C-alpha cells in the first residue's frame, strides 16, 4: 500500500543451465514489500533504496529449500525452491517479520548479519553485531525499523530450530575474539574423513569461519576444538576450503 518516492533495489536471484538459460528466479519484492517498518536502511540515504540486501544464499539440507540472508532486514528467510514461497523468517526479535521465539540466547537474538547455513535442524548465523552510532542508541528507532538486539561484538551463533513450534534455542557461539566485524563474514562446513584403529572410515564435518573485515579465518573440528587460526592481514569476504584434486579432474 502507498507509493514510495524513491527508486528501490530489490534482490533478484536466478539459476542458469549450462547454456545460459534462466531455469529458476526469485525476486525479494514479490515476497517482502519495501517498508520502513522492516528495513533499517534509510530510504533516502542513497540514490536507490537497497531495502533487502542479500549477502548470502545457501541450500538447506535436502536441496529443497533456500536459506537467504537479508542484511538490511536483519533477517534470515527460508524459501521453498520449487514454488518460491517463504516458509519462515527468523529476524531481530523486534522486527515484525520475526516468527520465532528465542530461547536461552544471552543476547536475545540476532543483529546485523551476513551469512547462514543449516545442518539438520541446526541453523548457524554469522551475526556481525551492532554499530555504536547515535541512531543505534538504546530506546531509539533506526529509520522507522525497531531494533532490539544491541551487542558490540561479532559471533557465529548456533540455534536449534523447531519450525512447527517456531522456537530458536541457543546452542553455542564462536568469536574471534570478542570484537566487531563491521562488514562481511562467511561460514561453511568442511567434510572430513578419518580412519579409526579398526580401519573403519568415519565422515565428520569441520566448521570454517571467515571473519570478514576482521581479516582472519578459523576452523573447528567436530569436537569444537580450534585447529586453525590465521590472520590474513586483510578482508576475507568469502573464504573456501576444498580438495584441489577434485577441481583439477
Amino acid at each position: 500500500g502507498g507509493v514510495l518516492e524513491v527508486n528501490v533495489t530489490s534482490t533478484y536471484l536466478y539459476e542458469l543451465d549450462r547454456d545460459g538459460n534462466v531455469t529458476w528466479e526469485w525476486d525479494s519484492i514479490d515476497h517482502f514489500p519495501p517498508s520502513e517498518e522492516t528495513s533499517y536502511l534509510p530510504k533516502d540515504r542513497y540514490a536507490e533504496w537497497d531495502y533487502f540486501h542479500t549477502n548470502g544464499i545457501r541450500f538447506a539440507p535436502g536441496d529443497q529449500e533456500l536459506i537467504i540472508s537479508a542484511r538490511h532486514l536483519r533477517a534470515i528467510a527460508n524459501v521453498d525452491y520449487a514454488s518460491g514461497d517463504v516458509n519462515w523468517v527468523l529476524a531481530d526479535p523486534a522486527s515484525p517479520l520475526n516468527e520465532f521465539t528465542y530461547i536461552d540466547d544471552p543476547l536475545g537474538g540476532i543483529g546485523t548479519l551476513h551469512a547462514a547455513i543449516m545442518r539438520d535442524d541446526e541453523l548457524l548465523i554469522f551475526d556481525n553485531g551492532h554499530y555504536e552510532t547515535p541512531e543505534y542508541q538504546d530506546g531509539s528507532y533506526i529509520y522507522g525499523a525497531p531494533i532490539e538486539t544491541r551487542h558490540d561484538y561479532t559471533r557465529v551463533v548456533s540455534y536449534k530450530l523447531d519450525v512447527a513450534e517456531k522456537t530458536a534455542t541457543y546452542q553455542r557461539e564462536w568469536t574471534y575474539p570478542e570484537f566487531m566485524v563491521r562488514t562481511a563474514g562467511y561460514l561453511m562446513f568442511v567434510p572430513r574423513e578419518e580412519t579409526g584403529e579398526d580401519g573403519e572410515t568415519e565422515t565428520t564435518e569441520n566448521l570454517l569461519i571467515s571473519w570478514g573485515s576482521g581479516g582472519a579465518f578459523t576452523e573447528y573440528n567436530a569436537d569444537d576444538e580450534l585447529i586453525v587460526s590465521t590472520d590474513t592481514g586483510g578482508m576475507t569476504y568469502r573464504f573456501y576450503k576444498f580438495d584441489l584434486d577434485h577441481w583439477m579432474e
Side-chain angles (χ1 to χ4, degrees):
V3 177
L4 290 171
E5 296 180 355
V6 62
N7 292 325
V8 173
T9 298
S10 68
T11 286
Y12 174 66
L13 308 176
Y14 61 93
E15 183 178 0
L16 303 177
D17 63 18
R18 291 183 179 274
D19 296 322
N21 301 309
V22 176
T23 60
W24 180 88
E25 56 188 339
W26 187 88
D27 197 325
S28 65
I29 207 165
D30 295 329
H31 306 273
F32 295 90
S35 169
E36 291 185 282
E37 295 301 314
T38 57
S39 178
Y40 76 89
L41 183 74
K43 65 182 179 63
D44 56 354
R45 183 170 181 177
Y46 303 110
E48 295 187 351
W49 186 22
D50 182 15
Y51 80 101
F52 194 85
H53 194 85
T54 288
N55 52 12
I57 175 172
R58 302 288 291 271
F59 272 106
D63 295 340
Q64 300 302 309
E65 300 170 341
L66 294 169
I67 305 298
I68 300 175
S69 169
R71 181 179 179 88
H72 290 167
L73 297 188
R74 295 167 69 98
I76 299 293
N78 178 286
V79 172
D80 181 72
Y81 176 70
S83 66
D85 295 337
V86 177
N87 294 322
W88 50 259
V89 177
L90 178 79
D92 183 298
S95 170
L97 295 174
N98 182 50
E99 301 176 21
F100 286 76
T101 299
Y102 289 93
I103 298 176
D104 297 335
D105 187 343
L107 301 181
I110 58 174
T112 305
L113 49 94
H114 198 85
I117 53 176
M118 285 197 74
R119 176 172 54 188
D120 299 324
D121 59 355
E122 182 185 21
L123 176 67
L124 283 74
I125 301 172
F126 192 99
D127 184 359
N128 289 86
H130 192 79
Y131 305 157
E132 287 298 326
T133 54
E135 62 267 27
Y136 287 87
Q137 298 305 311
D138 288 340
S140 70
Y141 279 73
I142 176 68
Y143 313 126
I147 285 177
E148 184 168 320
T149 56
R150 302 171 183 275
H151 49 284
D152 58 1
Y153 71 92
T154 296
R155 62 180 181 165
V156 171
V157 58
S158 166
Y159 298 106
K160 181 181 178 62
L161 294 187
D162 186 328
V163 176
E165 296 297 326
K166 291 295 189 295
T167 58
T169 302
Y170 174 89
Q171 302 295 293
R172 54 186 172 176
E173 64 183 51
W174 298 262
T175 62
Y176 182 82
E178 292 188 1
F179 76 114
M180 174 71 75
V181 176
R182 290 184 173 270
T183 58
Y186 191 67
L187 56 159
M188 67 177 291
F189 293 123
V190 181
R192 303 282 294 179
E193 290 189 353
E194 297 183 2
T195 302
E197 296 180 357
D198 58 0
E200 295 293 327
T201 300
E202 180 184 7
T203 301
T204 61
E205 288 182 323
N206 288 0
L207 175 64
L208 179 67
I209 304 173
S210 167
W211 295 98
S213 59
F217 69 90
T218 54
E219 184 175 352
Y220 299 84
N221 65 18
D223 295 323
D224 203 23
E225 298 171 331
L226 179 64
I227 60 173
V228 176
S229 178
T230 301
D231 188 338
T232 66
M235 175 183 283
T236 57
Y237 187 86
R238 289 283 193 273
F239 201 99
Y240 301 95
K241 185 175 183 178
F242 55 87
D243 185 345
L244 185 60
D245 291 336
H246 168 75
W247 289 92
M248 297 296 289
E249 293 177 353

